[in-house]
Amino acid sequence: MLTTLYKKLQSVTSKLNIIQCNSLSFIWVSALVFTACFNIAFFAKVIDALSMNNKDDYLLFGSFIIFIFCVLNILFTLFFVKPIRKPLLVILLCCSALGSYFSLFYGIYIDNDMLVNIFQTNTYEAITLLNGKLVLWFIIFGLLPSLFVIFFIKVKKISFLKSATLRTVNILISVAILGALYFSLPGEYSFFLKTNKSTLKLISPTNYIYALGDMVNKHYKSEVPFTHIGEDAKRKIATNPQKKKLIIIVVGETSRAQNFSLNGYERETNPLLSKQSNLFNFEHASSCGTATAISVPCMFSNMPRKSFDRTLAINEDNVLDIIARTGVNVYWKDNDSNCKEVCNRVPTLEINKTEPAELCKGGLCYDIQLLNGLDQYINERTDDTVIVIHTNGSHGPAYHERYQKDQEKFTPACKSTEIDSCSQQELVNAYDNTIVNVDFVLNSTIELLKKHSDQFSTAMLYMSDHGESLGEDGFYLHGAPYRIAPKQQTHIPMIFWLSDSFMNNHRINKTCLADKAKNDQNVSHDNLFHTVLGALDVSTKEYDPSLDIFKSCEYE
């Protein structure tokens, strides 16, 4: 059927005036189109970075245009050969149309981490990113140019020798121009690249081509034997009878500390948590990454952020594996895209997204559904237990779908996934309502733990995986390269609730922990691995007491 349709289209277009060109013209025009149409976000960042108030700034800006054209000219000369030049160009047009849209309108930088996050996004999240502006942008810059290339452009044939000669000369001229550009402004280039290195991740199509190559390379690197760590782990046996421990770890999603009233935000987004006793809100916590695919594995790994390697992390034991080997009941329940390979070796359940109807609609469940069934599960436990619930939290761009109607405290709220079309206040209103929902879910979790406090010594540990940008400095959503990521994407909420029996068992000085929560500037995802081990009295050489949140506040 497709073959027949293609032949009919060819028959129609053959009667039209087809544009004929030689292979070099095809390459030059392609390089010019990509330079001008798909690198607007890069040029905008260059203008922001330069003062643009003297001749040297304009020369440097102009040189970047020529630089990108020459680089693309070289690449296209090497790879745009018959019979793959048209299919390859079509693929690049479509991919660049999508990439340039998110870079231009949401401030998204495309690198390996971003591609990993994209490939691990579930269908529902992908659908929420679709909007009318994106579709129109793709049609104008991706689909229509592709159809034009396929049906209206004909590249004239020339001999292999002539083609090779012309291509060689073309590459040599481009290389010479690049050299001349660099050596004419060596100091300016060096300074710009040193201070704005991440901006290169906006250059299309080299950004996603390089990122894809890096991701494939790391995939093959990941095919290595799995490494077990913490095999010496043992739980200390209490000399006196005491309650078993029940810890619920809540993995937040896309919630930023800035919008928590517990952290001084002027709006009351935490009305329920603010009334809880034994609640310790760490005001200065930071994330390991700016995307779920990086942050979640990092949270449960023993690798600190500065040396974290996702490929290595998913191929070795994490804290859940270690504690499970000591006999702790471990259970992961998910309401997000997935556990990013953290829960591969422990019992796991993705919530039923079809019922009850009031909590799950259109493939999305409200996070409160994660608590459904946990009461029965807890009643059946007789040993130390750790439950991890992975929330959908404040994930954008469909913020308005993350909370129930009675939680819409701030209005008018943005009800569109085309978030840059909403006013700033509407966007913030919708996002703040998601934090009200987070408050409700965390408070409900605490109340569930209180219900079982006669049977267990209970605690809740909450950390968001990363934050979110709401248009500040031109950034939306998340996933910016860490070295340039705005604070909104790395400053995360981190909240611990501890029962009296838990604090007594661990001899925790409440005043000390409250002071640490308020003033410690160094708390981060790095602390989770060691804090969980310490909370369960697990001894292993992998445990670092200096990173255990509770250890420094123990009294004799």
Side-chain angles (χ1 to χ4, degrees):
M1 180 178 176
L2 290 175
T3 304
T4 303
L5 179 61
Y6 180 79
K7 288 180 179 179
K8 286 182 178 180
L9 286 172
Q10 278 193 321
S11 175
V12 172
T13 55
S14 64
K15 299 174 183 179
L16 302 175
N17 292 323
I18 294 178
I19 299 172
Q20 294 194 19
C21 62
N22 59 45
S23 57
L24 281 188
S25 298
F26 183 84
I27 290 166
W28 291 337
V29 173
S30 298
L32 182 62
V33 168
F34 275 82
T35 301
C37 297
F38 299 126
N39 286 286
I40 300 172
F42 170 77
F43 293 130
K45 284 293 180 183
V46 172
I47 291 173
D48 286 342
L50 300 175
S51 60
M52 303 302 290
N53 58 10
N54 58 61
K55 182 181 70 175
D56 288 342
D57 288 339
Y58 283 98
L59 286 175
L60 184 60
F61 178 76
S63 74
F64 276 124
I65 298 175
I66 300 171
F67 202 99
I68 291 175
F69 174 82
C70 288
V71 170
L72 294 181
N73 185 38
I74 292 171
L75 292 175
F76 292 170
T77 301
L78 290 172
F79 294 103
F80 279 10
V81 294
K82 192 178 180 181
I84 66 169
R85 62 185 156 215
K86 281 192 176 183
L88 182 56
L89 179 57
V90 167
I91 292 171
L92 293 177
L93 283 168
C94 293
C95 291
S96 295
L98 292 173
S100 64
Y101 174 85
F102 288 103
S103 291
L104 183 60
F105 293 105
Y106 295 116
I108 299 296
Y109 288 69
I110 299 176
D111 57 10
N112 171 60
D113 291 348
M114 179 55 68
L115 283 191
V116 170
N117 210 46
I118 290 170
F119 283 114
Q120 293 193 3
T121 296
N122 61 27
T123 304
Y124 178 82
E125 287 181 4
I127 290 173
T128 62
L129 290 170
L130 292 176
N131 57 63
K133 186 189 291 185
L134 171 59
V135 172
L136 182 61
W137 183 275
F138 179 75
I139 290 173
I140 294 173
F141 291 98
L143 182 59
L144 292 180
S146 295
L147 294 175
F148 184 80
V149 167
I150 293 170
F151 296 112
F152 292 93
I153 299 293
K154 182 176 181 180
V155 182
K156 293 182 288 187
K157 296 180 181 179
I158 58 174
S159 68
F160 173 80
L161 181 60
K162 184 178 180 180
S163 176
T165 302
L166 290 173
R167 287 172 185 267
T168 301
V169 172
N170 189 40
I171 290 173
L172 290 175
I173 292 173
S174 292
V175 170
I177 293 173
L178 290 173
L181 287 174
Y182 181 78
F183 288 110
S184 63
L185 298 165
E188 288 82 352
Y189 272 103
S190 296
F191 179 76
F192 183 87
L193 294 176
K194 183 178 180 180
T195 56
N196 300 276
K197 185 177 180 180
S198 295
T199 308
L200 299 178
K201 295 176 182 179
L202 293 172
I203 299 177
S204 181
T206 56
N207 52 359
Y208 60 82
I209 293 173
Y210 177 83
L212 184 61
D214 189 34
M215 188 174 72
V216 170
N217 178 57
K218 288 182 177 179
H219 171 74
Y220 283 110
K221 179 183 173 184
S222 69
E223 295 181 356
V224 296
F226 190 89
T227 302
H228 291 291
I229 65 171
E231 292 185 294
D232 62 328
K234 293 180 180 179
R235 273 184 296 161
K236 296 176 184 176
I237 305 300
T239 55
N240 298 317
Q242 61 177 345
K243 299 175 185 177
K244 296 297 182 179
K245 293 173 182 173
L246 170 62
I247 300 173
I248 296 183
I249 301 173
V250 183
V251 179
E253 172 64 52
T254 324
S255 297
R256 67 188 202 179
Q258 178 178 318
N259 292 55
F260 274 58
S261 54
L262 290 175
N263 290 317
Y265 188 50
E266 63 274 10
R267 286 178 154 186
E268 191 181 38
T269 53
N270 304 125
L272 300 175
L273 289 178
S274 63
K275 298 174 184 177
Q276 287 284 359
S277 58
N278 294 352
L279 190 84
F280 302 91
N281 173 57
F282 288 78
E283 297 183 15
H284 308 287
S286 60
S287 67
C288 182
T290 62
T292 308
I294 303 301
S295 284
V296 171
C298 188
M299 289 170 70
F300 292 88
S301 168
N302 70 338
M303 297 181 201
R305 184 193 70 79
K306 291 182 179 179
S307 60
F308 179 73
D309 185 309
R310 179 183 175 276
T311 302
L312 296 178
I314 65 176
N315 283 285
E316 72 175 26
D317 288 327
N318 57 59
V319 70
L320 301 184
D321 300 311
I322 295 172
I323 62 175
R325 276 204 301 268
T326 69
V328 175
N329 299 304
V330 180
Y331 179 54
W332 183 291
K333 198 169 185 182
D334 210 288
N335 190 37
D336 202 46
S337 50
N338 55 60
C339 71
K340 310 305 178 186
E341 305 192 57
V342 171
C343 64
N344 286 1
R345 296 162 296 279
V346 299
T348 306
L349 176 68
E350 185 171 338
I351 63 176
N352 188 334
K353 296 186 177 180
T354 61
E355 58 181 352
E358 66 272 13
L359 295 179
C360 298
K361 297 177 182 178
L364 172 73
C365 287
Y366 298 116
D367 284 330
I368 195 63
Q369 174 71 347
L370 284 163
L371 302 184
N372 187 35
L374 288 189
D375 192 53
Q376 180 181 347
Y377 175 82
I378 293 169
N379 283 330
E380 295 170 354
R381 302 307 108 192
T382 58
D383 207 340
D384 291 344
T385 299
V386 171
I387 300 170
V388 184
I389 58 175
H390 187 194
T391 68
N392 201 252
S394 306
H395 201 291
Y399 303 118
H400 62 289
E401 296 182 359
R402 304 294 181 251
Y403 55 87
Q404 294 167 269
K405 182 64 179 176
D406 60 356
Q407 294 167 338
E408 192 170 70
K409 185 175 182 179
F410 306 104
T411 58
C414 178
K415 298 295 177 70
S416 172
T417 59
E418 198 173 316
I419 55 178
D420 59 321
S421 66
C422 292
S423 72
Q424 181 67 15
Q425 191 58 59
E426 288 173 335
L427 185 60
V428 171
N429 286 344
Y431 186 82
D432 284 349
N433 290 331
T434 71
I435 305 301
V436 172
N437 178 65
V438 171
D439 178 75
F440 171 67
V441 173
L442 294 181
N443 188 74
S444 299
T445 303
I446 292 170
E447 294 302 319
L448 174 65
L449 289 169
K450 286 181 179 179
K451 181 180 177 182
H452 293 276
S453 289
D454 289 340
Q455 179 186 359
F456 292 96
S457 177
T458 56
M460 181 195 75
L461 314 181
Y462 167 74
M463 290 183 180
S464 185
D465 59 350
H466 53 77
E468 183 84 329
S469 288
L470 299 176
E472 299 91 355
D473 300 318
F475 286 95
Y476 289 90
L477 305 177
H478 52 268
Y482 202 92
R483 69 188 298 267
I484 66 161
K487 192 175 183 181
Q488 288 86 359
Q489 294 190 29
T490 60
H491 182 202
I492 57 166
M494 176 172 152
I495 300 169
F496 292 173
W497 175 85
L498 310 174
S499 65
D500 289 332
S501 62
F502 186 93
M503 286 194 287
N504 291 335
N505 289 342
H506 283 273
R507 306 185 308 280
I508 294 174
N509 184 313
K510 190 173 181 179
T511 302
C512 171
L513 191 59
D515 181 70
K516 186 179 182 71
K518 185 170 184 60
N519 299 307
D520 193 335
Q521 302 280 334
N522 298 313
V523 292
S524 69
H525 282 165
D526 292 352
N527 296 105
L528 182 64
F529 179 95
H530 306 278
T531 301
V532 171
L533 291 178
L536 293 163
D537 296 316
V538 174
S539 61
T540 169
K541 64 182 180 181
E542 302 297 332
Y543 171 69
D544 183 349
S546 69
L547 291 173
D548 182 346
I549 291 290
F550 305 134
K551 189 68 176 177
S552 63
C553 286
E554 289 183 3
Y555 57 81
E556 296 298 329

